[in-house]
Amino acid sequence: MEKEINILGIESSCDETAASVVRNGRDVLSNVVSTQILIHRKFGGVVPEIASRKHIEHIMPVIDKALRDAQLQLQDIDAVAVTYGPGLVGALLVGLSAAKGLALGSGLPLIGVNHLEGHVFANFLADEALKPPFLALVVSGGHTSLLVVEDYNTFRLLGQTRDDAAGEAFDKIARFMGLPYPGGPEIEKLAAGGNPQAIDFPRPLLPDSYDFSFSGLKSAVINYIHTEEQRGAELSRENVAASFQEAIVDVLVTKCKQALLATGLKKIVLAGGVSANKRLQEALASGAREVGAELVHPTSILCTDNAVMVAVRGYYQYLNRDFAPLSLNADPSLKLGTL
Ligand code: KG4
Ligand code: ZN
């Protein structure tokens, strides 16, 4: 019988403290997430110092629970995989220090995981047949990147945002409209009651490039709201949300279709927090079909930050003997792929 490989994944890059055990990169034995969303909501966004302090309080109980839920002990684990970037440096250091302590104390190998690669690898759980090469659209609070996953360890960047990330645009517009943090899900909820064609917001499509730019769209939405308020007009918040969401989705889908046609790839995966957006999933699935390709996206709980994705990514690094020294440091601006 093939040996079972159990990877303990640890994640603390932003406002979720998470740990998970995944067997052979496929079977989720546990998935523990302690979220700080309600704490940061009072401040309208993540406060780094508070995030670090909360991670310190939660990291060991979360890891203990992940092992208990998996009904395993540390000696049953084959490697400890931990996010070492990108993210908030103080937050990253908490998970990284815990992982190093466990690796040192137990003699287990340490694996340093790129958080964004983790988001991409969550898709291996959604589609058992998924195999590189495929296209990936990473849309999170800090990143918007389009890349080719050439094999399990080679990522070629086609384009990325030149200003705001997609999630950041959602969060900023939500904040401007007085909606709570994080804004993406709130905009999506409001948009459900609005008309996506009501307001013709700009679709910034940078020609001859797979790069994105959302700051002009953000300003257009803010200007629209200001102008309508000054006119004393009755503003439909639902229509603003729906039309704004549609503009972002349109830009993302257009670029993905172009990239699918240019590369000839037949599968595209969605990754990062914004991948939870149902309108994006629906529009990208139909856009992909139009060019003879298929969309894969993670299940809802694996769209936002979690440690399952870290363990899955770690599993493929384990197979590649890609181990990190105990001197591994946090890298807050760790990049995804090479140009
Ligand atoms: O990947 P993630 O959980 O954290 C980062 O690594 O950044 O992504 C968080 C981002 C936030 O900007 C949040 O507003 C956005 O993902 N998001 C959404 C939705 N759910 C989360 N954006 C649009 N629609 C959603 N349903
Ligand atoms: Zn993330």
Side-chain angles (χ1 to χ4, degrees):
M1 209 178 76
E2 215 183 311
K3 178 169 162 27
E4 288 174 341
I5 306 294
N6 297 315
I7 306 286
L8 170 65
I10 298 174
E11 156 67 37
S12 70
S13 66
C14 190
D15 57 350
E16 259 90 38
T17 319
S20 156
V21 179
V22 178
R23 180 167 290 166
N24 295 336
R26 294 275 174 199
D27 303 325
V28 180
L29 304 190
S30 61
N31 177 18
V32 182
V33 181
S34 164
T35 181
Q36 308 171 3
I37 282 184
L38 293 178
I39 298 167
H40 298 289
R41 184 164 280 178
K42 287 181 240 144
F43 306 97
V46 179
V47 183
E49 284 78 7
I50 297 178
S52 310
R53 206 176 321 139
K54 290 290 155 193
H55 282 309
I56 291 171
E57 287 170 19
H58 293 286
I59 191 77
M60 291 320 291
V62 163
I63 293 172
D64 279 343
K65 182 159 168 41
L67 288 169
R68 245 183 301 122
D69 286 359
Q71 300 188 329
L72 294 179
Q73 310 204 320
L74 209 48
Q75 59 259 36
D76 306 313
I77 298 295
D78 293 276
V80 182
V82 61
T83 300
Y84 74 104
L88 301 167
V89 68
L92 288 164
L93 282 170
V94 178
L96 186 58
S97 306
K100 284 185 191 178
L102 289 176
L104 181 66
S106 61
L108 289 173
L110 178 72
I111 297 174
V113 171
N114 179 320
H115 178 83
L116 301 168
E117 292 174 11
H119 273 301
V120 172
F121 276 57
N123 285 287
F124 286 111
L125 298 180
D127 177 6
E128 295 234 327
L130 182 65
K131 267 202 203 91
F134 54 82
L135 198 67
L137 175 67
V138 180
V139 271
S140 72
H143 295 81
T144 302
S145 307
L146 190 56
L147 59 139
V148 179
V149 178
E150 297 191 327
D151 61 47
Y152 291 99
N153 303 295
T154 316
F155 312 94
R156 183 161 54 89
L157 193 62
L158 297 181
Q160 58 192 334
T161 184
R162 293 188 187 171
D163 40 59
D164 290 350
E168 191 179 357
F170 271 102
D171 292 341
K172 285 179 175 167
I173 292 300
R175 190 170 177 168
F176 186 77
M177 294 175 76
L179 296 166
Y181 166 86
E186 300 295 326
I187 296 272
E188 179 172 17
K189 263 186 255 163
L190 198 58
N195 172 7
Q197 262 72 53
I199 311 153
D200 189 19
F201 288 130
R203 268 76 169 149
L205 285 168
L206 306 168
D208 305 319
S209 162
Y210 291 115
D211 280 355
F212 302 91
S213 166
F214 293 113
S215 75
L217 169 60
K218 180 189 66 188
S219 306
V221 177
I222 291 173
N223 284 341
Y224 175 86
I225 296 174
H226 271 315
T227 311
E228 291 302 290
E229 280 172 356
Q230 272 165 6
R231 286 200 313 130
E234 181 85 38
L235 186 77
S236 162
R237 291 164 60 78
E238 290 78 7
N239 283 353
V240 172
S243 302
F244 161 67
Q245 176 177 269
E246 197 64 13
I248 291 211
V249 166
D250 240 13
V251 171
L252 293 172
V253 172
T254 304
K255 291 280 174 193
C256 289
K257 280 171 75 177
Q258 285 170 358
L260 283 167
L261 283 172
T263 57
L265 292 168
K266 295 294 168 217
K267 271 202 186 174
I268 174 163
V269 310
L270 250 185
V274 184
S275 64
N277 188 284
K278 292 281 179 285
R279 176 65 195 132
L280 175 59
Q281 293 177 2
E282 178 188 286
L284 192 52
S286 80
R289 267 195 306 274
E290 280 165 32
V291 294
E294 187 201 341
L295 171 72
V296 180
H297 64 78
T299 52
S300 295
I301 48 162
L302 296 188
C303 284
T304 45
D305 290 348
N306 64 84
V308 172
M309 65 187 203
V310 178
V312 173
R313 175 65 191 121
Y315 171 73
Y316 289 94
Q317 289 177 253
Y318 180 92
L319 296 182
N320 202 35
R321 292 283 176 257
D322 177 9
F323 300 126
L326 286 173
S327 58
L328 179 69
N329 202 355
D331 184 349
S333 47
L334 185 64
K335 297 283 175 277
L336 174 59
T338 46
L339 269 174

